[in-house]
Amino acid sequence: MTKTSITGGGPLAHAEDRTAALNQISWGAVFAGVVVALTVQLLLNLLGVGIGAAVVDPGASGNPSAGAFSIAGGVWYLVAGLIGAFAGGYVSSRVSGRPVKTVGGFHGLTTWAATTLVILYLLTTSVGSLIGGAFGGLSSVVGGAGGVASTAIQAAAPTIATLNPLQEIERQVRSAGEGQDPEALRSGAAAAVQALLTGDPQKADEARTRAAEALARAQNISLDQARTQVGEYEARYRQTVEQAKRAAQEASVTATKVVSRGALLGFLALALAAVAAWFGGAAGTTRAVRRI
């Protein structure tokens, strides 16, 4: 047995070292790919913003609808992301100088992952203000799902807020018969009606009687008329509360659908970008030069 075979310095060991070197990832190449991917996405998104702004004519009435703009913007961002991921993976693989397509594909995939983390960092820190709306598409995918859901709830909030039956009923109680009775009587009647509407349902009969008596004194009407008005207030209150509940439930359902749809679209966009980066890395592998 020779010394070379004992120390592991033979041709087989050199071949294994060469294979390991070829399979090693080049972080410098990955960094170059990330820079290219970010720049390509930034340029394409800025181009999309410019084209979209040029299409809109404030003085014309035939502008595309908001829904059409939203769909076109989403498609444009998806295409920009795919092109950026492919370009970043290609550059990363080419700069690494690896001749194996699988290694090049992993370089592209790593570049895509690093690019995604960088964009997320930019969108979640103050640094993101420097890039403006160029990466707004991913922002709507990642955090925009929750944001859109919040918007859906806020859109329903004014409708729910206007359905305040107590405020309207109190206004009617105070305004009815104004000038005939002191303010204290009208305040007492309003408080009695409010106690009936929001109080313990088991004590509703007693509260209804007190409210009718207070309303009769405040408006100088008969007790039967006061009871009729109290009944109308109760019916209106229940109807308004049911409307508010339905509005809140509809807003909740809308928000849930938006969150689900946004998460699925975000997953699809990122998955397609990963595939594009892999193929870009595979296409960027260099051919091994055979030494004579």
Side-chain angles (χ1 to χ4, degrees), residues 87 115 201 224 228 281:
T115 303
D224 291 337
T228 301

Side-chain angles (χ1 to χ4, degrees), residues 21-71:
L22 290 176
N23 291 333
Q24 286 180 354
I25 189 169
S26 174
W27 290 106
V30 170
F31 176 77
V34 170
V35 172
V36 171
L38 290 174
T39 304
V40 170
Q41 290 188 51
L42 177 61
L43 292 177
L44 291 178
N45 283 320
L46 289 177
L47 178 62
V49 172
I51 294 175
V55 170
V56 178
D57 186 2
S61 58
N63 292 319
S65 63
F69 265 117
S70 178
I71 294 175

Side-chain angles (χ1 to χ4, degrees), residues 56-111:
V56 178
D57 186 2
S61 58
N63 292 319
S65 63
F69 265 117
S70 178
I71 294 175
V75 172
W76 182 277
Y77 178 80
L78 176 61
V79 173
L82 294 178
I83 295 176
F86 183 89
Y90 182 89
V91 171
S92 174
S93 178
R94 176 67 66 175
V95 172
S96 69
R98 302 298 190 265
V100 183
K101 288 186 177 295
T102 304
V103 179
F106 278 116
H107 272 80
L109 192 62
T110 305
T111 300

Side-chain angles (χ1 to χ4, degrees), residues 128-225:
S129 61
L130 299 177
I131 61 175
F135 293 110
L138 184 59
S139 177
S140 64
V141 167
V142 178
V148 172
S150 177
T151 302
I153 296 176
Q154 292 176 1
T159 304
I160 298 174
T162 57
L163 301 176
N164 187 349
L166 291 177
Q167 183 178 1
E168 178 63 20
I169 292 175
E170 182 179 355
R171 185 190 65 79
Q172 292 181 4
V173 172
R174 290 180 179 275
S175 63
E178 187 173 359
Q180 301 176 5
D181 296 286
E183 178 65 23
L185 291 178
R186 291 195 295 271
S187 299
V193 173
Q194 182 175 358
L196 167 64
L197 299 178
T198 61
D200 188 358
Q202 296 180 355
K203 300 180 181 180
D205 293 336
E206 298 178 4
R208 190 176 295 108
T209 301
R210 288 194 297 268
E213 293 174 352
L215 189 62
R217 290 193 301 268
Q219 299 182 4
N220 194 19
I221 59 178
S222 65
L223 187 59
D224 291 337
Q225 292 177 333

Side-chain angles (χ1 to χ4, degrees), residues 18 99 287-292:
R18 182 173 179 273
R287 294 183 179 180
V289 179
R290 181 176 297 177
R291 296 180 181 179
I292 301 176

